Amino acid sequence: MNVGQYMHRDPVTVLPDASLGEAKRVMEENGFGILLVATAEQALKGFITKGSLKTVTDWEKPVGEACFAANFSVGPTDTLEKATLILLANRLVLLPVVEEGRLVGVITQSEILRGLARGLGIGLAGTRLMVKVRPDSDDLYSVVGVLREYGVKLVSLAQGEKKDGYQEVILRVQGIKDKEALKKALESALRRE
């Protein structure tokens, strides 16, 4: 899953020499709280926020003189995980997507969530299982072996919380024919001596 699969292509932008009044109009028309500033050649120059416009007194001032630098961006081939980490670490709501120095898109929290949910199989028919495995053990391989033995299809696997010396692993699976038998087989495979 990469950014290019989920980004909005051809984002709405404003030119650096446009007035702050024009930027405000574009933001209001589109319901934006943030607007990227880019040249006609799509070179990213920065961004302007709805909040920063609250103190404007000169609406004819060029956006390029008032915009904030865009310190973070991702490329279309970057992973959604990388974009997620940048958004979280910097408390951002969107990231510009830049390729060869040109703004080619934008990815927001919503698109990232959509992509991660799809990758985790959320929304697909199936069953969610949670198992506790010992770190640095073959427990997870045992779980996968049991699933294979019972003809259960593994849709996704995610790491949960670590606690009490165990790692929670969340599995999304399909094709369980006998839940009780599978449960007993998993308990047996993970029996701690």
Side-chain angles (χ1 to χ4, degrees):
M1 295 179 304
N2 63 34
V3 169
Q5 293 172 277
Y6 293 93
M7 71 182 189
H8 289 289
R9 297 185 184 281
D10 302 317
V12 175
T13 61
V14 66
L15 294 169
D17 59 356
S19 69
L20 288 172
E22 174 66 9
K24 180 181 180 186
R25 183 191 63 74
V26 170
M27 292 173 84
E28 287 174 349
E29 283 180 3
N30 291 283
F32 292 167
I34 186 170
L35 180 62
L36 296 176
V37 180
T39 67
E41 296 78 29
Q42 293 301 341
L44 181 62
K45 293 300 179 187
F47 66 94
I48 194 91
T49 66
K50 188 175 180 180
S52 68
L53 295 178
K54 290 180 180 178
T55 58
V56 171
T57 55
D58 180 5
W59 291 101
E60 294 305 314
K61 183 176 182 177
V63 174
E65 293 178 20
C67 70
F68 301 99
N71 295 322
F72 305 99
S73 66
V74 288
T77 59
D78 286 331
T79 64
L80 288 184
E81 293 90 334
K82 178 180 179 178
T84 300
L85 291 174
I86 293 170
L87 283 175
L88 289 173
N90 299 287
R91 303 170 93 187
L92 304 172
V93 295
L94 63 81
L95 276 172
V97 182
V98 177
E99 185 174 42
E100 297 178 5
R102 292 184 59 244
L103 180 67
V104 294
V106 64
I107 189 155
T108 66
Q109 292 173 344
S110 295
E111 283 82 35
I112 289 175
L113 283 172
R114 188 175 295 109
L116 294 176
R118 183 175 184 203
L120 291 172
I122 297 170
L124 294 177
T127 304
R128 180 184 186 271
L129 302 174
M130 196 280 294
V131 295
K132 292 181 181 180
V133 298
R134 296 169 294 182
D136 303 320
S137 74
D138 288 341
D139 287 354
L140 191 54
Y141 293 108
S142 298
V143 169
V144 172
V146 169
L147 295 177
R148 184 180 311 130
E149 179 183 332
Y150 280 77
V152 175
K153 177 184 174 188
L154 178 61
V155 175
S156 70
L157 182 146
Q159 181 173 298
E161 187 178 356
K162 277 187 182 180
K163 64 181 182 183
D164 301 326
Y166 291 96
Q167 175 67 58
E168 290 179 349
V169 177
I170 298 115
L171 308 164
R172 186 163 298 279
V173 299
Q174 294 176 332
I176 297 176
K177 292 176 182 65
D178 185 342
K179 287 184 181 183
E180 280 306 309
L182 179 63
K183 180 180 176 183
K184 286 179 184 175
L186 288 170
E187 287 172 351
S188 178
L190 295 174
R191 187 165 290 129
R192 278 49 176 211
E193 300 165 7

